[in-house]
Amino acid sequence: MTDVIAGDALEASFEALEQEHVEVEGLRAEVAQLKARLEASERPALSGAKSETSPFVERYLRKGLEHGVELKAMSGSSDAAGGYAVPEEIDSAIERTLTSISPIRAIASVVKVGTSGYRKLVTAGGTPSGWVAETAARPETDTPVFNEIAPPFGELYANPAASQAMLDDAAFDVEAWLASEIATEFARSEGAAFVSGSGVNRPKGFLAAATAESADGVRPFGTLQLLKTGVAGGFPASNPQDKLIDLVQSLRSPYRQGAVFVMNSATAARIRKFKTSDGAFLWQPGLVAGQPDTLLGYPVVEAEDMPDVAADSLSIAFGNFKAGYLIAERAETQILRDPFTNKPFVHFYATRRVGGQVMNSEAIKLLKFAA
């Protein structure tokens, strides 16, 4: 029995050696073929033989393969469409004029939603309560009033195009630059809508909401309270700061924690000159970098989308925008690179879907420059 097992093992070892021999012979054959090809490539080409073509011809022109092939644009179009980048050397960074972006998004309440059919419930009046004796019956109390908020949505879009020559030859990253430009312009457009948007295919701004002079608890839900300066297109000649104090005190104390003034820089320039009777300025600049200036102890946010002071203008807002204004957005800005629709131009189609509306009309007050 032991002899049979030893014979089987010996036979298996012979078969393994034969297999290794076959593999070695195969490798030798491959090496010989490679040597023959190398010698043939070193010999001069015979008359009439086809010489080796360039990778551009073989890979790109014949097969349409771009990998490993250096492509260069051969002509430019007009200067504004990329012609500057073709014959001249330009800086790798692009400077741009700064665009004023509305800061309303930074002070409002922002939620991410999955659909444009977003709804939010806001209660008015709270839940009433009462006092009873230890053994007295507990009668039913009133339930709070629910109000539904459905912020109108709109879709921002941009579809700029860049020539293929510009993309190929420019020293800077054109695609990243265009994406940055689109994002900046979207921020500017949506910021203007948050202030004065009509609500038709765009957010409804807080200045587009209904207004009334009646106090909280009397006005209909969704109607903002406004206070008048008493002078059309300006402040009163004497004690103009009193109107600002009235505006602050019209906002109930629960909302004043976190409240801010919102106005544009032209209106702020007027108010910075206001002084008290003892000569002190109402406006206090921020003493630490990054901290906003304050007016009557509350931060001032400069939004250039707010209107200038004029007759019947709503140029100053004061309130807690986290509680007062709702911004709903479906997703971040989406950018699609489209090189096929309009050859030889490459389009960058960008979209952004966002909505907005006043959420709590008691949390925002407006100052109207009217008699």
Side-chain angles (χ1 to χ4, degrees):
M1 185 67 177
T2 304
D3 295 338
V4 174
I5 295 175
D8 292 341
L10 186 60
E11 185 177 355
S13 63
F14 285 149
E15 291 177 354
L17 289 175
E18 290 178 359
Q19 182 65 28
E20 290 179 2
H21 177 72
V22 171
E23 292 177 357
V24 169
E25 291 297 328
L27 290 175
R28 288 177 179 173
E30 291 181 6
V31 171
Q33 291 178 1
L34 290 175
K35 281 185 177 181
R37 291 180 184 177
L38 181 61
E39 292 174 358
S41 64
E42 292 176 351
R43 299 192 191 104
L46 299 177
S47 177
K50 180 181 177 181
S51 60
E52 183 70 20
T53 57
S54 67
F56 177 76
V57 175
E58 285 297 320
R59 294 182 58 80
Y60 186 71
L61 293 184
R62 293 184 184 275
K63 302 178 182 179
L65 301 177
E66 296 183 6
H67 180 69
V69 179
E70 184 178 4
L71 303 178
K72 294 292 183 180
M74 305 198 56
S75 63
S77 54
S78 65
D79 288 342
Y84 282 124
V86 177
E88 301 174 1
E89 181 178 351
I90 63 175
D91 198 333
S92 59
I94 301 177
E95 295 295 331
R96 67 186 304 274
T97 56
L98 295 178
T99 302
S100 178
I101 300 175
S102 178
I104 302 301
R105 174 182 283 272
I107 61 176
S109 177
V110 182
V111 297
K112 302 285 185 180
V113 299
T115 175
S116 58
Y118 176 73
R119 299 291 187 272
K120 184 178 181 63
L121 295 178
V122 179
T123 60
T127 303
S129 59
W131 293 95
V132 294
E134 180 180 357
T135 58
R138 269 58 175 172
E140 181 182 354
T141 58
D142 294 334
T143 57
V145 178
F146 288 90
N147 298 282
E148 186 182 67
I149 299 296
F153 277 76
E155 185 166 282
L156 272 171
Y157 88 97
N159 193 24
S163 67
Q164 187 63 51
M166 183 178 183
L167 297 177
D168 290 341
D169 290 337
F172 51 84
D173 190 346
V174 183
E175 297 176 68
W177 169 67
L178 277 176
S180 175
E181 288 287 303
I182 291 170
T184 302
E185 287 304 309
F186 277 10
R188 181 193 61 80
S189 298
E190 71 176 18
F194 297 152
V195 173
S196 57
S198 63
V200 180
N201 295 327
R202 68 194 64 193
K204 187 172 184 178
F206 58 87
L207 292 186
T211 57
E213 295 184 64
S214 51
D216 294 346
V218 180
R219 302 186 316 276
F221 179 81
T223 303
L224 298 182
Q225 182 182 5
L226 61 83
L227 284 78
K228 294 182 178 180
T229 61
V231 178
F235 285 96
S238 61
N239 299 322
Q241 67 273 10
D242 290 352
K243 296 300 178 181
L244 296 175
I245 296 175
D246 293 340
L247 181 65
V248 170
Q249 294 304 127
S250 66
L251 187 69
R252 293 193 291 115
S253 57
Y255 298 115
R256 277 190 232 134
Q257 310 217 354
V260 296
F261 282 97
V262 178
M263 64 190 76
N264 65 18
S265 57
T267 306
R270 287 193 179 198
I271 297 177
R272 292 193 71 161
K273 302 170 187 176
F274 289 176
K275 296 180 181 179
T276 60
S277 57
D278 56 358
F281 284 99
L282 292 179
W283 189 288
Q284 297 295 323
L287 300 179
V288 180
Q291 287 189 355
D293 299 340
T294 58
L295 177 62
L296 298 176
Y298 295 95
V300 179
V301 176
E302 292 189 15
E304 296 306 320
D305 298 302
M306 292 290 290
D308 293 333
V309 174
D312 296 330
S313 65
L314 299 171
S315 301
I316 299 178
F318 177 74
N320 189 323
F321 283 80
K322 286 287 184 184
Y325 194 80
L326 174 68
I327 298 174
E329 58 183 3
R330 288 188 60 182
E332 300 297 334
T333 301
Q334 305 292 327
I335 298 180
L336 174 65
R337 188 180 189 275
D338 179 14
F340 307 109
T341 302
N342 188 21
K343 297 181 290 293
F345 294 96
V346 178
H347 285 262
F348 296 87
Y349 177 66
T351 58
R352 182 183 183 87
R353 192 158 185 81
V354 63
Q357 186 181 3
V358 171
M359 177 171 55
N360 186 346
S361 55
E362 293 185 357
I364 300 175
K365 307 294 181 178
L366 303 175
L367 186 62
K368 185 173 184 178
F369 290 82

